[in-house]
Every structure is written in structure tokens, then in C-alpha cells.
């Protein structure tokens, strides 16, 4: 009897297809949702990178897994891609029409970077990255009510991580350059989200979960920190005076995190630790002009 109870689990993989289908708000077609299973040693949390990216260790049973890739859904009929929660949110008719009209464009653009990606079998790292890229293009056609800039920032950063991981397993296919491209996009969108928040164009800080990974929500402080970190690591270096100005602005913004952190136990400890390290690096560059 004990063996029969264990047998279904032996067959259980990393993911399963939900019985409840998802209806695309753009083309109105229903499609299946793939859900990652949890437990039984699938997710062995490792370290946290300075980019607030959680590394998961491979297990003897399931190998290396990438929980990030299950966070995006894609309609296989019109290539509309959203975070899963956004499939149940209302979108304007104009946005739906725009997204639908760009269906073929999204598919072709995705195939340039991810040729032969597949939306219908259990997703692998490669397919999951392609889905994020489809989402990046889909949110391009969304109005400010959907907070697209903040979502594109998170998506672009995750794409940088995923394509960097692809490069580790599939070198000499330029995914290192593609990863750098997505880091540059992430830098732009993170900084633009802050500008839009300041100018009251998008209420970016009201997004329920700003990640940037799936294990913890570092909130708006995390956004400010990542703006500074991405500028420090991936900002332009052609105009040194402009770079110094931006780095100094980032240093000032990071200093505010320290002030808040000293008086609030609610601030995530790992974020404060990384923020202090970043502040020290920024201060050294700004004060010593080490370029």
C-alpha cells in the first residue's frame, strides 16, 4: 500500500497543467496554464545576489530549476503575454486592439532571439525566457493604468538573469550580449519608473509586488536601490560628467534608505546590507573619480 501512495509522486515532475483554463483578454481564446509544483525538494534556496536575485541550488532528484519562468503566461493564439494576475484584470478596448494588431510582430521579434521557442510543452529555461520577452513587448502596448513601466523593469531584469543562465549552458550563441542588452533595458525602465512616479504619470509605487525576484518583495526601497546598482554596473561611460552626476544622485537616494532603515525594523535586512555596500562603492567613485 505504501508503494502505491508513492508511485504518483514518482511520476510528478516540476510542473503540471491546471484544470482551470485561462481566457485571453485580447483574443478571448482559452488556453491551459502551467503551474510549478512546490515541495519535495524542488526549491532549494541558495544565496541572494546583489541584484536581489535568489539562486536555487540543484537537487539530486529534480536537477536545477528556475521558478521565475512559471510567472508569465502566454496566449498561444495571439502571443499576448502577461504576469498571470493581469489576465484577470480589465484592459481597455484600445489597448486590446493594439495588442492584437501586434500579435505577429511579437512572435517574429521573439523568434529572432529565441528561434523555435515552444508555448505548448512543459517550459524549459529557453521557452520561459522567450515568454518574458513576449511579455516585455506586450506591456509596451498597455496604458499607464496597468503600470507597464514598472512591470517592464522587472521583466527586463529577469530576462537579463535568464539569458545569462542560458549563456552558461549554451555559450557562443551571443546570449551574453543579449543579457547585457536586457540589463541596459532594465536600467532604463527602472529609472523611468521612478521618473514617472515623481511626475505622477504612473503610480509605480502602488504595484503590489515589485520583487524583483519571486521569493521576497523588496518594495519601493528595492526599486531605488536597483536604480543605483544598475547605474553603477551598467550605466553609460562615454560622458563621464553625466555619469558622475547620476552616480551622485544614486548615492543620495541610497543614503535615504540608510536613514529609513535605522528607524524601521520592517526594512529587509539583506537589502540594507547590499545598499550599504553599494553606497560605499558609489562614494568611492564619486569622491575619487575612479573611472
Amino acid at each position: 500500500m505504501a508503494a502505491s501512495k508513492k508511485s504518483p509522486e514518482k511520476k510528478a515532475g516540476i510542473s503540471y497543467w491546471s484544470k482551470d483554463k485561462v481566457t485571453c483578454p485580447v483574443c478571448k481564446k482559452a488556453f491551459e496554464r502551467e503551474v510549478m509544483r512546490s515541495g519535495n525538494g524542488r526549491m532549494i534556496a541558495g544565496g541572494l545576489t546583489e541584484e536581489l536575485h535568489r539562486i536555487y541550488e540543484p537537487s539530486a532528484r529534480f536537477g536545477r530549476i528556475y521558478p521565475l519562468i512559471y510567472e508569465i503566461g502566454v496566449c498561444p493564439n495571439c502571443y499576448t503575454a502577461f504576469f498571470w494576475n493581469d489576465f484577470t484584470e480589465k484592459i481597455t478596448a484600445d489597448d486590446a486592439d493594439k495588442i492584437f494588431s501586434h500579435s505577429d510582430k511579437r512572435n517574429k521579434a521573439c523568434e529572432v532571439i529565441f528561434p523555435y521557442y515552444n508555448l505548448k510543452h512543459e517550459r524549459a529555461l529557453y521557452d520561459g525566457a522567450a515568454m518574458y520577452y513576449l511579455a516585455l513587448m506586450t506591456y509596451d502596448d498597455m496604458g499607464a493604468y496597468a503600470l507597464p513601466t514598472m512591470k517592464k523593469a522587472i521583466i527586463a531584469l529577469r530576462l537579463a538573469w535568464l539569458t545569462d543562465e542560458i549563456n552558461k549552458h549554451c555559450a557562443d550563441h551571443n546570449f551574453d550580449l543579449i543579457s547585457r542588452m536586457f540589463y541596459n533595458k532594465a536600467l532604463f525602465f527602472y529609472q523611468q519608473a521612478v521618473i514617472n512616479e515623481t511626475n505622477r504619470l504612473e503610480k509605480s509605487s502602488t504595484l503590489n509586488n515589485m520583487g524583483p525576484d519571486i521569493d521576497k518583495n523588496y518594495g519601493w526601497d528595492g526599486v531605488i536601490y536597483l536604480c543605483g546598482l544598475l547605474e553603477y554596473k551598467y550605466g553609460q561611460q562615454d560622458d563621464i560628467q553625466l555619469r558622475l552626476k547620476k552616480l551622485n544622485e544614486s548615492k543620495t537616494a541610497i543614503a535615504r534608505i540608510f536613514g529609513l532603515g535605522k528607524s524601521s525594523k520592517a526594512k529587509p535586512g539583506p537589502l540594507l546590507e547590499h545598499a550599504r555596500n553599494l553606497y560605499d562603492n558609489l562614494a568611492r567613485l564619486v569622491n575619487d573619480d575612479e573611472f
Side-chain angles (χ1 to χ4, degrees), residues 1 9 33 44-45 49-50 71 74 96 114 119 128 135 149-150 152 205 226 240 269 273-274 279 288:
M1 187 70 177
E9 183 56 35
R33 174 176 180 173
I44 305 175
T49 73
E50 64 181 354
E71 297 296 302
V74 184
F114 304 99
L119 298 177
T149 308
M150 191 68 255
K152 285 188 288 185
S205 63
L226 284 168
I240 299 302
E273 182 181 346
H274 284 303
Y279 179 87
D288 298 340

Side-chain angles (χ1 to χ4, degrees), residues 150 206 213:
M150 191 68 255
T206 63
D213 212 323

Side-chain angles (χ1 to χ4, degrees), residues 29 76-78 93-94 100 126 158 166 175 203 218 229 266:
K29 301 285 186 180
N77 180 62
C78 67
D94 286 344
F100 187 77
Y126 184 84
R158 291 181 180 183
I166 292 173
F175 277 101
K203 298 178 180 180
Y218 287 96
L229 180 70

Side-chain angles (χ1 to χ4, degrees), residues 7-8 19 31 39 46 53 64 75 153 160 163 200 221 240:
S7 58
K19 294 180 180 179
F31 64 96
H53 176 33
R64 188 174 293 280
C75 171
T163 49
R200 300 185 180 182
D221 284 343
I240 299 302

Side-chain angles (χ1 to χ4, degrees), residues 66-285:
Y66 304 95
L68 271 181
I69 67 176
Y70 300 95
E71 297 296 302
I72 295 289
V74 184
C75 171
N77 180 62
C78 67
Y79 306 103
T80 293
F82 290 133
F83 287 109
W84 283 113
N85 289 341
D86 281 343
F87 278 98
T88 59
E89 296 293 329
K90 291 183 179 180
I91 65 175
T92 67
D94 286 344
D95 284 354
D97 289 344
K98 191 187 302 182
I99 292 170
F100 187 77
S101 69
H102 292 160
S103 297
D104 189 53
K105 179 181 177 182
R106 282 193 301 278
N107 179 39
K108 288 181 178 178
C110 193
E111 286 182 334
V112 171
I113 299 179
F114 304 99
Y116 313 114
Y117 74 93
N118 193 311
L119 298 177
K120 296 185 177 180
H121 65 192
E122 290 83 0
R123 66 188 75 184
L125 171 64
Y126 184 84
D127 305 307
M131 294 178 187
Y132 268 95
Y133 188 42
L134 288 169
L136 188 67
M137 292 183 283
T138 302
Y139 283 110
D140 269 340
D141 290 332
M142 293 290 285
Y145 65 92
L147 308 181
T149 308
M150 191 68 255
K151 291 173 183 176
K152 285 188 288 185
I154 296 168
I155 288 169
L157 183 55
R158 291 181 180 183
L159 270 166
W161 297 338
L162 293 173
T163 49
D164 178 63
E165 193 66 31
I166 292 173
N167 184 63
K168 293 176 183 176
H169 299 283
C170 188
D172 301 323
H173 285 75
N174 294 324
F175 277 101
D176 54 339
L177 300 178
I178 292 170
S179 178
R180 179 58 188 258
M181 175 190 75
F182 285 127
Y183 272 121
N184 290 336
K185 285 182 178 291
L187 169 60
F188 171 78
F189 286 127
Y190 266 102
Q191 293 184 347
Q192 191 61 48
V194 173
I195 291 171
N196 289 352
E197 172 80 10
T198 303
N199 295 334
R200 300 185 180 182
L201 299 175
E202 285 184 45
K203 298 178 180 180
S204 301
S205 63
T206 63
L207 186 64
N208 287 335
N209 193 334
M210 286 173 265
D213 212 323
I214 63 171
D215 67 316
K216 193 174 185 66
N217 177 17
Y218 287 96
W220 192 247
D221 284 343
V223 170
I224 300 301
Y225 163 76
L226 284 168
C227 281
L229 180 70
L230 293 171
E231 182 65 46
Y232 171 65
K233 294 178 67 175
Y234 305 106
Q236 65 81 30
Q237 299 194 32
D238 294 329
D239 187 335
I240 299 302
Q241 291 306 312
L242 177 60
R243 178 162 169 77
L244 276 171
K245 180 177 180 292
K246 287 193 171 184
L247 290 175
N248 194 49
E249 290 172 351
S250 296
K251 181 172 72 75
T252 301
I254 295 299
R256 294 195 186 103
I257 294 180
F258 296 153
L260 291 171
K262 290 176 181 176
S263 60
S264 174
K265 295 181 181 180
K267 300 296 174 185
L271 175 58
L272 290 178
E273 182 181 346
H274 284 303
R276 289 190 184 100
N277 291 335
L278 176 59
Y279 179 87
D280 290 341
N281 290 331
L282 291 172
R284 185 174 64 254
L285 284 176

Side-chain angles (χ1 to χ4, degrees), residues 33-52:
R33 174 176 180 173
E34 186 182 7
V35 181
M36 181 181 164
R37 298 178 187 274
S38 60
N40 293 299
R42 289 179 177 85
M43 297 174 66
I44 305 175
L48 184 73
T49 73
E50 64 181 354
E51 295 170 4
L52 308 180

